[in-house]
Amino acid sequence: MIDSDGTQLGIMPLAAAQKIAVDRNLDLVKIAPQATPPVCRVMDYGKYRFEESKREREARKNQKTIEVKEIRLSLNIDTHDLEVKAKNAKKFLAAGNKLKIAIRFRGREMAYPQIGRDLMNKFVGSLSEYGTVDKPPKMEGRSMVSIMTAKPAKPVK
């Protein structure tokens, strides 16, 4: 048994441990029930739970969530449209998001996957300084998909 201030009180029967906890107006909590004999501690369990939830909230606040943004292209996209899509993709990568690039194949376009692969490589090449390719271009049904991750920010000296 461990006291509320952290000192060890030694091995004692359950009834004696509960009496000590009740006398001090605290709770008797099993810390390591799998140990032999089980380890118990005298503490204010409500205060312990409150501090634990406070720590979890603080940890959740410091987490950064990474979103997956998607850019859709088509085989017969014009150069200016491609530049606009690349500009938006650069914004997404600069913000630290993952980027999913998809090319939809419609109708007879399915017969020309190499044109889509060339377009994808050209698009990814224009973004190479902002991110790295996690998943290379691959056909998934009627679309070709590639995933990029933002490069880590370079430290300023």
Side-chain angles (χ1 to χ4, degrees), residues 4 6 13 15 21 80 87 89 96 106 124 132 142 153 157:
S4 58
H80 179 47
K87 183 178 167 187
R106 298 185 317 213
V124 167
T132 56
R142 289 194 155 271
K157 293 181 182 178

Side-chain angles (χ1 to χ4, degrees), residues 59-126:
R60 223 177 298 126
K61 190 179 2 174
N62 294 335
Q63 279 183 345
K64 185 174 188 321
T65 56
I66 297 175
E67 290 184 54
V68 178
K69 300 284 190 168
E70 184 174 359
I71 297 282
R72 283 192 183 162
L73 307 173
S74 63
L75 272 188
N76 50 5
I77 191 168
D78 197 30
T79 54
H80 179 47
D81 295 334
L82 193 64
E83 290 167 5
V84 170
K85 299 262 187 186
K87 183 178 167 187
N88 286 331
K90 288 174 187 173
K91 282 184 197 172
F92 296 151
L93 290 172
N97 297 316
K98 280 191 167 194
L99 180 66
K100 178 180 177 182
I101 306 160
I103 300 177
R104 297 277 310 255
F105 291 89
R106 298 185 317 213
R108 293 183 188 156
E109 293 175 352
M110 285 294 293
Y112 304 102
Q114 188 55 42
I115 297 173
R117 193 170 305 280
D118 294 341
L119 177 66
M120 182 77 77
N121 289 334
K122 178 181 171 185
F123 189 75
V124 167
S126 68

Side-chain angles (χ1 to χ4, degrees), residues 43-60:
M43 67 166 70
D44 184 355
Y45 190 65
K47 182 178 175 184
Y48 171 76
R49 290 279 307 268
F50 172 73
E51 289 173 355
E52 195 70 21
S53 67
K54 203 161 124 179
R55 260 181 288 191
E56 285 176 17
R57 276 197 306 271
E58 194 66 33
R60 223 177 298 126

